Amino acid sequence: MPNPITPTAISMSTIDIKQQRRKKFENVFIRIRDELIEHMKAEKMPQDAVEWFHRNLDFNVPGGKLNRGMSVVDSVEILRGRQLSDDEYFKAAVLGWCIELFQAYFLVADDMMDQSITRRGQPCWYRLESVGNIAINDAFMLEGAIYHLLKKYFRSETYYVHLLELFHETTYQTEMGQLVDLITAPEDHVDLSKFSLEKHAFIVQYKTAYYSFYLSVALAMRVCGMPEMYTLNGQTIEPYKLALSILLPLGEYFQIQDDFLDYAGTPEQIGKIGTDIMDNKCSWCVNIALSVATPAQRKVLDENYGQKDAAKEATIKALYEELGLRERYAVYEESAKERIDELIEQIPEPDAGVHEGVLRRAVFTSFLNKIYKRTK
């Protein structure tokens, strides 16, 4: 009689599959990293500069969760409705790694602007001995690598210009969000009257949602030849607008999770030391606190928020507990999930056998399943 499949066995099988998919994706990074290094050598760069760039790539690009990059591959597979050929997989993975390069160069710069201490469980790049302000140029080089890869692997494709436009537009949008974030909450001048949930929503949309969610799916849609508009069952669909209407709320939910985990998560859990309170961040947590605080509690916020003082940070965290922030977050998370589920349900599904050129709900449920109830 065969052994029954236990929940543990099923769970381990799922873990194994995830690890295999990640390993396959990481192998593409090795290939494109080596190609980028060969390009440096072909440009007659001195050996110490080549080694520096190699270290920059290895330190800053592959160490995260890789959700953004792998989502390009996942989305292409879902939209094509079949397993990808080796060439299709590689091209989708290259675009995924371009997003990871995008993420890396923004994080290198953002850590300097915020004077952050750790990132992904290790010291921030700029804090390493001998790096310092050279990290500014290192961030530029990570960005430049994106366009080298796009030209090398996609220049002959009909959708090449669409890829360029997506990366350029998303870069500008992310920088717009960063600007509002920086001038709303400068570390050297605390003014909580400049904070609001509306301003937080703008920062989240521009600084996070476009590049963390929309970019992955839009790239996959372009690779799969998704038109600007199509008709399905008598209904006119504008797939890029429809995708954006779902992915922006998904991005907002993701960033609010990040804000909450910065306050409630441990360094071991989230891979960094939470600094939003000391850094005077226009976080969801402080905006919720501001929206419900009594005059006495508001005074505590004004006197303690945004200070480089561990005791004042502890005072703010105690106030968050007093205001029931954990419970408020739990309520928010369930309502966000319900709202996003409803948006996904509005996507018209094609008939069986139709695989190419139409949007599918599974693209978005795949994203939602990756982040719902996440703890890191």
Side-chain angles (χ1 to χ4, degrees), residues 175-358:
E175 289 163 350
M176 290 162 65
Q178 179 76 338
L179 172 62
V180 177
D181 188 21
L182 290 169
I183 64 176
T184 299
E187 289 191 47
D188 58 352
H189 181 69
V190 180
D191 181 1
L192 298 184
S193 67
K194 297 174 78 173
F195 289 11
S196 69
L197 284 167
E198 293 72 25
K199 190 167 284 187
H200 175 265
F202 179 90
I203 293 169
V204 165
Q205 178 176 324
Y206 279 82
K207 187 177 174 181
T208 300
Y210 281 113
Y211 97 87
S212 293
F213 289 85
Y214 180 67
L215 182 57
S216 299
V217 174
L219 290 171
M221 291 165 71
R222 289 300 180 188
V223 167
C224 293
M226 186 81 63
E228 299 292 333
M229 186 182 298
Y230 62 85
T231 302
L232 184 65
N233 301 328
Q235 185 176 350
T236 299
I237 311 297
E238 294 181 89
Y240 294 93
K241 289 183 180 179
L242 184 55
L244 191 63
S245 73
I246 298 168
L247 293 164
L248 291 185
L250 252 173
E252 180 180 51
Y253 167 42
F254 176 83
Q255 185 58 52
I256 289 173
Q257 283 180 317
D258 249 20
D259 289 355
F260 178 73
L261 289 170
D262 187 276
Y263 142 65
T266 65
E268 294 76 22
Q269 179 186 341
I270 64 175
K272 64 179 181 178
I273 298 168
T275 61
D276 283 1
I277 294 171
M278 286 191 181
D279 290 347
N280 188 35
K281 284 294 182 182
C282 185
S283 158
W284 179 83
C285 299
V286 71
N287 278 297
I288 290 295
L290 288 167
S291 71
V292 298
T294 65
Q297 290 168 331
R298 171 59 188 260
K299 188 169 185 290
V300 172
L301 286 165
D302 285 328
E303 290 175 352
N304 293 277
Y305 197 79
Q307 308 294 322
K308 304 291 187 186
D309 183 314
K312 292 188 174 184
E313 179 188 44
T315 298
I316 294 294
K317 287 188 173 184
L319 180 60
Y320 285 173
E321 295 294 335
E322 183 182 323
L323 293 170
L325 211 66
R326 293 175 190 271
E327 293 75 19
R328 293 177 189 276
Y329 172 76
V331 171
Y332 162 78
E333 182 164 48
E334 292 311 312
S335 66
K337 168 80 159 50
E338 185 177 334
R339 176 188 170 208
I340 294 163
D341 280 334
E342 288 172 357
L343 290 170
I344 293 170
E345 285 297 314
Q346 292 175 14
I347 300 173
E349 284 282 68
D351 295 331
V354 177
H355 295 301
E356 306 258 350
V358 293

Side-chain angles (χ1 to χ4, degrees), residues 136-208:
I136 298 170
N137 191 67
D138 291 334
F140 296 158
M141 290 193 69
L142 293 172
E143 180 186 19
I146 295 169
Y147 297 99
H148 173 81
L149 293 170
L150 291 177
K151 182 177 180 180
K152 179 175 176 65
Y153 293 108
F154 298 96
R155 193 169 188 271
S156 63
E157 302 289 351
T158 56
Y159 52 82
Y160 176 56
V161 172
H162 289 301
L163 302 184
L164 293 176
E165 286 182 345
L166 275 168
F167 275 100
H168 283 305
E169 288 169 3
T170 307
T171 297
Y172 201 24
Q173 288 162 334
T174 307
E175 289 163 350
M176 290 162 65
Q178 179 76 338
L179 172 62
V180 177
D181 188 21
L182 290 169
I183 64 176
T184 299
E187 289 191 47
D188 58 352
H189 181 69
V190 180
D191 181 1
L192 298 184
S193 67
K194 297 174 78 173
F195 289 11
S196 69
L197 284 167
E198 293 72 25
K199 190 167 284 187
H200 175 265
F202 179 90
I203 293 169
V204 165
Q205 178 176 324
Y206 279 82
K207 187 177 174 181
T208 300

Side-chain angles (χ1 to χ4, degrees), residues 253 257 333-334 337 368-374:
Y253 167 42
Q257 283 180 317
E333 182 164 48
E334 292 311 312
K337 168 80 159 50
L368 184 55
N369 292 339
K370 286 174 186 173
I371 67 171
Y372 179 56
K373 297 276 189 188
R374 73 186 176 98

Side-chain angles (χ1 to χ4, degrees), residues 12-79:
M12 286 304 294
S13 176
T14 303
I15 291 169
D16 288 343
I17 291 168
K18 286 182 178 179
Q19 288 174 340
Q20 289 167 10
R21 290 177 69 85
R22 182 183 174 102
K23 181 64 176 173
K24 184 177 181 181
F25 186 68
E26 288 173 331
N27 287 340
V28 175
F29 172 73
I30 295 170
R31 178 172 164 183
I32 63 175
R33 179 205 62 198
D34 291 349
E35 196 285 320
L36 289 167
I37 295 304
E38 287 305 312
H39 174 67
M40 291 289 107
K41 292 177 180 177
E43 292 291 319
K44 303 282 194 287
M45 291 282 283
Q47 184 60 29
D48 57 348
V50 172
E51 290 172 359
W52 185 283
F53 187 47
H54 194 297
R55 185 178 174 220
N56 177 12
L57 289 166
D58 280 346
F59 189 93
N60 292 303
V61 182
K65 293 184 285 292
L66 306 182
N67 283 342
R68 295 168 181 83
M70 292 180 69
S71 291
V72 180
V73 177
D74 294 343
S75 298
V76 171
E77 284 185 336
I78 292 166
L79 292 173

